[in-house]
Amino acid sequence: MTEPLVLWKNEGETPLACIDRARREGKIAEGVKATYAGRLDPMASGVLLVLVGDAVHEKEAFLKLDKDYVVEVLLGVSTDTGDILGKVVVAKEFAGGDIAQAVGSCVGEFVEEYPKYSSKTVDGKPLFQYANEGEEVPVPQHTITISSIDLVDTQTMGKQELVDTILSRVTKIEGDFRQQDIVEKWSEVGRVSEIETFTLLTIRVTCGSGAYMRVLAEKIGRLLDVPALAYSIVRTLVGDFHI
């Protein structure tokens, strides 16, 4: 395989915005084709492999590489996207449970649905467009592999600190991602939620291609009988490539 350009995508950027930044910084020549191998959500940061020139035709080989992530899982609240860049659906206090067992239960091979807010296409149209338009369509499934998960840390965060931090992060996002509605929903949590303290887990994940950390976070929550989402996602490794 051709050596890719290894970039660090910032939180708030789309992968295309990251490539545009690399062009401005002189890392990719103007007029030269470039594509990324392995998408990262706007709220995720980390290693982004960019194929330049004729290497764009090798994309499929790079997509198959394993990935490593560090993920913060927020227990006690869920959104329609599975991360903080979504409308709050429900908040419920975490009553306790065997966190280590729940995390360990997520290791293995599983058949899962794609997130409704994802770029997976159905009849040539991304799922997120159907979701934004309120149109229900059959959501495709795929097989994913989680090779390992390590529980790194467990901590708590006060409600107001949590909401203030999320609002600060969401309002920095460029592009149209329903920010106004999302800010209103998170602000409502700050005003009316009776939950004063939220639990935040830090996990380190090694997985195969196609595994969504948002889906993993929600799954951990279901095993603990509490709504959950991916509070932060950092991709640290793609194959052997890292920053």
Side-chain angles (χ1 to χ4, degrees):
M1 292 190 295
T2 305
E3 194 77 5
L5 177 63
V6 184
L7 300 180
W8 186 270
K9 190 192 86 65
N10 297 321
E11 182 180 84
E13 285 184 318
T14 64
L16 289 178
C18 182
I19 290 176
D20 289 342
R21 174 166 57 84
R23 289 190 188 277
R24 293 194 301 271
E25 293 172 350
K27 296 176 182 177
I28 304 173
E30 287 298 330
V32 175
K33 293 183 293 184
T35 187
Y36 57 87
R39 181 177 176 80
L40 280 172
D41 294 326
M43 294 309 303
S45 60
V47 175
L48 184 72
L49 300 188
V50 176
L51 310 179
V52 180
D54 291 339
V56 298
H57 303 297
E58 301 179 37
K59 184 173 181 176
E60 286 302 317
F62 286 97
L63 288 175
K64 296 176 182 178
L65 297 175
D66 287 351
K67 283 94 175 170
D68 282 14
Y69 294 90
V70 174
V71 184
E72 290 180 305
V73 180
L74 177 64
L75 303 180
V77 61
S78 65
T79 65
D80 58 359
T81 60
D83 64 2
I84 67 171
L85 191 60
K87 296 180 183 179
V88 175
V89 175
V90 64
K92 173 186 172 183
E93 189 166 8
F94 176 45
D98 192 332
I99 293 173
Q101 182 179 20
V103 169
S105 298
C106 295
V107 175
E109 184 175 280
F110 307 96
V111 176
E112 296 180 343
E113 289 187 346
Y114 284 90
K116 291 184 178 180
Y117 278 90
S118 69
S119 56
K120 176 66 177 176
T121 58
V122 174
D123 295 332
K125 184 175 176 179
L127 284 173
F128 72 83
Q129 288 190 11
Y130 289 109
N132 282 334
E133 295 165 4
E135 184 177 351
E136 294 289 336
V137 294
V139 178
Q141 295 182 327
H142 62 150
T143 301
I144 63 99
T145 300
I146 305 292
S147 302
S148 67
I149 308 180
D150 294 322
L151 179 61
V152 178
D153 191 26
T154 302
Q155 56 184 308
T156 59
M157 184 179 293
K159 176 181 68 176
Q160 201 55 56
E161 179 187 1
L162 175 72
V163 172
D164 289 347
T165 302
I166 289 174
L167 292 180
S168 174
R169 291 167 63 193
V170 167
T171 52
K172 292 178 182 177
I173 300 293
E174 296 182 359
D176 182 11
F177 291 96
R178 310 177 300 158
Q179 289 95 319
Q180 182 174 348
D181 292 339
I182 290 167
V183 165
E184 289 176 0
K185 288 292 187 180
W186 279 112
S187 298
E188 187 176 332
V189 170
R191 292 194 305 271
V192 306
S193 175
E194 296 180 356
I195 307 171
E196 293 299 331
T197 303
F198 291 82
T199 299
L200 199 63
L201 315 178
T202 302
I203 57 175
R204 191 180 303 275
V205 183
T206 298
C207 61
S209 177
Y212 284 82
M213 295 301 100
R214 292 180 282 143
V215 174
L216 175 61
E218 292 176 320
K219 184 176 183 178
I220 292 171
R222 287 195 301 273
L223 291 168
L224 292 168
D225 192 31
V226 67
L229 56 79
Y231 180 72
S232 71
I233 302 171
V234 181
R235 187 159 70 193
T236 57
L237 195 66
V238 178
D240 294 326
F241 300 104
H242 58 90
I243 298 294

